Amino acid sequence: MKAKVCSLVVLLLLLTLSVSVFAFDPETWVYVGGAGGPQTLDPAAAYDTASGEIIHYVYDNLFEYVGGDLDNIGPLLATEVPTVENGLMSEDGRTIRVPIRQGVKFHNGAELTAEDVKYSFLRGMLADPAGGPMWMFFEPLLGVQTMRDVIAMAGGPDDFVDISEVDPAILRKAYDLVDATMEVDGNDLIFHLANPYPPFINILTKGGSWASIVCKDWMIANGAWDGNPDTWPKWYDQALEEMTLYDKACGTGPFKLDTWDKSGAQVLLSRFDDYWRGPAALKNVVIKNIPEFATRLLMLRAGDADAIYVGQQDLPQVRTIPGVTVVEDLPQITNTVLFFSFTIPVEGNEDLVGSGKLDGNGIPSDFFADVNVRKAFAYAFDYEAYLNEVVLGAGQIPKGPFPQSLPYVNTEQEYFSHDLAKATEYFKQAFNGEVWEKGFKVGIVYNTGNDARKTALEILEFNIEQINPKFQVEVIGLEWATVLDKLRSSSLPVFVMGWLADFPDTHNFAVPFMHSTGTFAGYCGQGLIDLAKEQFDALIDAGIKATDPAEREKIYHELQRLYVEQAIAMPFMEATTHRVMRDWVQGFEYCPAYAANYDLYKISKVQQ
């Protein structure tokens, strides 16, 4: 109770934005972002960095990247990292035994058990929210992508509209298939994989919010799946807001959730004093979202914020501020991409598609299903100008969907460049010349607060509109929550998103970008889903199953070639990153796999 009262005081003070509110409080951390707040706090559904940041502080995983090093995995809630050498992994890599740490407490006081760990993963797979991260468990454990696929394996339909339509006997068989992938043996959890899957341990490692461990008894008491093999369909693919953990939490992490204040765009956390590794130095945490950079900058200067989000183009404004530390050129496994929707809903979407026809006042549903349109957009963008003038050289131009820091990427792949003559040529070919003759009008979307994305779209808008006066592109900023809602309904004709690696393997970009069940296929409509089933799915499945590195390289090179050849989307930046903080921040440790901007358990504040 005392911690909650203290957090409320922090909130009220923050809202005043006075010059010296937080000027050095060693126990309170204030981070102010600018690109949007969480979508959900449920580890089974969260698949965005803003949500993952909060989950990172509240929950623990089985393993962690020691010192932020992706090549050094150590135990966290597990006591050992399974290997063939220590006997916890079978020779073929398909059976993995994980010993669970004893004496760890959840925030409600309950002690962690192996049953909690199994429930965490089983519950997530059975829930399988559409567009979520659970494919990372289905693929290694069952060789499929979704719970819908498991139902088909059990003899049911894969095209049902409502799960209540499926025979309960089939649903029980589907449950048994999932349940058999994990077993509790004393204080160990044993995973049974369908095939060898080299990055499986990475999937279970800190930074992967989907592998957070929840408390089974607390979940059931708060309305989550009750553990009954026959009742799970009630919780299958719920709306995010209906899920138990949408805005509640009970983890084993160093901080407890106090409040997710959606109207105030902030999350308040407090220290968990019974944390198994010992209490954190920080007592209170405020994670706030303010789109306006000027306000964030004012808070940083005044010491009201310990750290803020600063776009690359704004870094020159903070480099020389006394008492501010800027850490630059931090590596990322990421890319930023302009996506095209192949099947755009027209009704109710007039603000983005206009008339819904190819008549100069809108675009039809299948506008971007024409490869000529996609290639025209890709050649209209000025990649070099964006790299050098917007993000000030902090990154590199991609060669396709796979970041060049990963293995099996063809760094010699021919890629798009700024070429308005080629863009004109492809626009003239699109829809048998109708695009050129009639013109079009389309809204392209970015999330407000992300000025770099806004500028990228403005570059594209300027170049396309100078090609033909009949071409109209409107750059539209939407709140992050609105963007996510529209993505779930595949309503955005063109949009910009970044993808931060779930785990450091090329496969982790092949699935979301190119598989028919991948995150972006879902966002980009049925047209892309159908194309992926026809051309990409089998290659992607073969890529992760291949044990010969030369064979994997051949497969991923082919996927990369197809992606660029057909201009499935337009990756335009593989960025490095940076952090901007007050110089009193001590213990900063960076990990490319973390959604969290700072690992707050390791942070303390010491006035200089």
Side-chain angles (χ1 to χ4, degrees):
M1 179 65 71
K2 184 178 179 181
K4 291 186 178 179
V5 171
C6 182
S7 295
L8 180 59
V9 172
V10 169
L11 165 60
L12 293 172
L13 290 173
L14 178 60
L15 292 176
T16 69
L17 294 182
S18 63
V19 173
S20 59
V21 170
F22 288 116
F24 205 70
D25 175 353
E27 293 188 323
T28 297
W29 171 267
V30 179
Y31 173 74
V32 185
Q39 179 186 17
T40 174
L41 302 184
D42 194 321
Y47 215 6
D48 63 287
T49 53
S51 300
E53 177 161 31
I54 307 305
I55 291 169
H56 184 99
Y57 303 138
V58 175
Y59 294 93
D60 281 328
N61 294 48
L62 293 175
F63 311 105
E64 68 171 341
Y65 294 107
V66 179
D69 182 357
L70 299 183
D71 295 321
N72 186 7
I73 296 179
L76 198 58
L77 291 182
T79 59
E80 289 184 80
V81 178
T83 64
V84 173
E85 291 73 23
N86 65 18
L88 296 176
M89 183 182 293
S90 62
E91 289 283 348
D92 64 2
R94 293 178 56 192
T95 302
I96 300 173
R97 178 181 289 267
V98 182
I100 305 303
R101 192 177 299 278
Q102 298 285 285
V104 175
K105 288 185 178 181
F106 285 100
H107 297 161
N108 66 341
E111 286 206 7
L112 171 71
T113 69
E115 287 287 350
D116 293 308
V117 180
K118 179 177 179 179
Y119 177 89
S120 299
F121 304 136
L122 186 59
R123 192 274 312 192
M125 294 173 73
L126 296 173
D128 193 23
M134 287 297 107
W135 70 269
M136 283 182 277
F137 292 96
F138 284 110
E139 189 172 67
L141 295 174
L142 287 155
V144 297
Q145 295 289 319
T146 67
M147 193 64 206
R148 188 177 288 267
D149 296 331
V150 179
I151 291 170
M153 289 173 64
D158 63 0
D159 59 351
F160 58 85
V161 176
D162 192 294
I163 199 167
S164 64
E165 302 169 6
V166 183
D167 183 346
I170 294 292
L171 295 176
R172 176 56 190 263
K173 288 181 182 178
Y175 170 87
D176 291 339
L177 287 170
V178 178
D179 182 64
T181 64
M182 293 170 277
E183 64 174 303
V184 173
D185 182 19
N187 199 52
D188 296 350
L189 181 66
I190 304 172
F191 292 98
H192 300 288
L193 278 61
N195 297 286
Y197 200 95
F200 185 64
I201 297 297
N202 297 85
I203 289 170
L204 302 175
T205 300
K206 188 77 170 178
S209 56
W210 45 86
S212 300
I213 306 305
V214 303
C215 178
K216 179 179 180 180
D217 290 343
W218 183 92
M219 291 287 290
I220 295 171
N222 281 270
W225 173 53
D226 58 9
N228 187 318
D230 297 314
T231 61
W232 68 268
K234 176 182 175 182
W235 289 271
Y236 170 73
D237 192 21
Q238 291 178 301
L240 295 184
E241 294 81 2
E242 295 174 2
M243 298 180 75
T244 296
L245 293 178
Y246 168 65
D247 57 3
K248 294 192 287 289
C250 181
T252 64
F255 296 95
K256 301 179 294 183
L257 174 68
D258 286 346
T259 304
W260 176 12
D261 176 13
K262 303 174 190 65
S263 61
Q266 64 185 352
V267 176
L268 305 179
L269 309 173
S270 60
R271 183 171 63 203
F272 179 40
D273 289 332
D274 286 333
Y275 185 50
W276 64 274
R277 290 196 287 182
L282 298 170
K283 187 175 182 181
N284 302 296
V285 173
V286 180
I287 309 292
K288 188 168 180 65
N289 184 68
I290 297 178
E292 297 78 20
F293 172 65
T295 303
R296 300 196 303 271
L297 181 61
L298 173 64
M299 295 179 71
L300 180 72
R301 284 182 177 274
D304 294 344
D306 297 294
I308 66 169
Y309 166 73
V310 178
Q312 187 72 36
Q313 70 276 19
D314 293 319
L315 274 182
Q317 297 187 56
V318 299
R319 287 192 181 109
T320 58
I321 298 176
V324 169
T325 297
V326 180
V327 184
E328 299 188 63
D329 298 320
L330 297 170
Q332 294 189 110
I333 307 173
T334 186
N335 54 20
T336 306
V337 182
L338 183 78
F339 290 95
F340 310 115
S341 180
F342 285 45
T343 313
I344 311 160
V346 171
E347 187 175 350
N349 209 21
E350 290 81 6
D351 56 330
L352 299 177
V353 302
S355 65
K357 301 175 183 178
L358 196 56
D359 57 3
N361 294 311
I363 58 170
S365 175
D366 61 349
F367 185 67
F368 289 104
D370 188 323
V371 66
N372 294 297
V373 174
R374 302 195 301 271
K375 286 188 174 181
F377 269 66
Y379 279 114
F381 188 72
D382 194 332
Y383 302 84
E384 293 286 349
Y386 181 83
L387 172 62
N388 295 321
E389 298 172 24
V390 180
V391 298
L392 308 180
Q396 61 182 338
I397 297 170
K399 295 289 187 177
F402 312 139
Q404 294 165 78
S405 59
L406 291 172
Y408 315 126
V409 179
N410 181 8
T411 57
E412 302 302 318
Q413 169 70 49
E414 185 176 348
Y415 197 64
F416 303 106
S417 59
H418 179 49
D419 191 328
L420 294 187
K422 284 188 176 180
T424 300
E425 174 188 337
Y426 283 114
F427 272 131
K428 286 182 176 180
Q429 294 177 35
F431 284 82
N432 297 315
E434 286 189 75
V435 168
W436 188 260
E437 292 175 12
K438 298 178 179 178
F440 62 86
K441 182 178 181 180
V442 64
I444 55 178
V445 168
Y446 72 97
N447 53 303
T448 52
N450 196 316
D451 292 337
R453 292 181 184 180
K454 178 185 179 183
T455 305
L457 295 183
E458 288 172 342
I459 291 171
L460 186 65
E461 174 189 26
F462 175 80
N463 289 334
I464 288 175
E465 290 184 346
Q466 70 172 309
I467 290 174
N468 186 332
K470 297 177 182 178
F471 296 169
Q472 303 174 66
V473 176
E474 183 181 3
V475 176
I476 299 172
L478 298 176
E479 292 292 331
W480 181 234
T482 304
V483 171
L484 291 171
D485 286 342
K486 286 184 173 291
L487 285 173
R488 287 198 294 269
S489 60
S490 306
S491 298
L492 295 179
V494 192
F495 58 94
V496 176
M497 285 193 76
W499 184 260
L500 181 68
D502 300 319
F503 52 88
D505 191 284
T506 310
H507 184 70
N508 185 231
F509 286 78
V511 171
F513 281 77
M514 300 185 71
H515 200 280
S516 64
T517 62
T519 298
F520 294 111
Y523 293 161
C524 293
Q526 191 62 43
L528 180 54
I529 292 172
D530 293 342
L531 177 66
K533 287 180 179 178
E534 178 185 339
Q535 296 192 29
F536 307 146
D537 286 5
L539 275 172
I540 293 170
D541 295 343
I544 192 59
K545 292 176 182 176
T547 56
D548 178 6
E551 184 181 357
R552 287 198 82 192
E553 179 175 85
K554 181 179 179 181
I555 291 169
Y556 290 116
H557 278 203
E558 176 63 6
L559 284 166
Q560 182 181 353
R561 184 190 68 79
L562 289 169
Y563 193 91
V564 175
E565 182 180 86
Q566 300 187 41
I568 300 301
M570 193 194 86
F572 62 89
M573 177 52 51
E574 294 174 13
T576 57
T577 190
H578 53 270
R579 297 291 183 268
V580 178
M581 66 195 90
R582 298 292 309 199
D583 62 3
W584 56 56
V585 176
Q586 304 295 306
F588 170 69
E589 184 177 280
Y590 176 73
C591 179
Y594 289 171
N597 288 281
Y598 297 84
D599 190 348
L600 294 184
Y601 180 66
K602 298 173 181 176
I603 292 288
S604 61
K605 294 169 61 175
V606 179
Q607 195 159 26
Q608 302 299 303

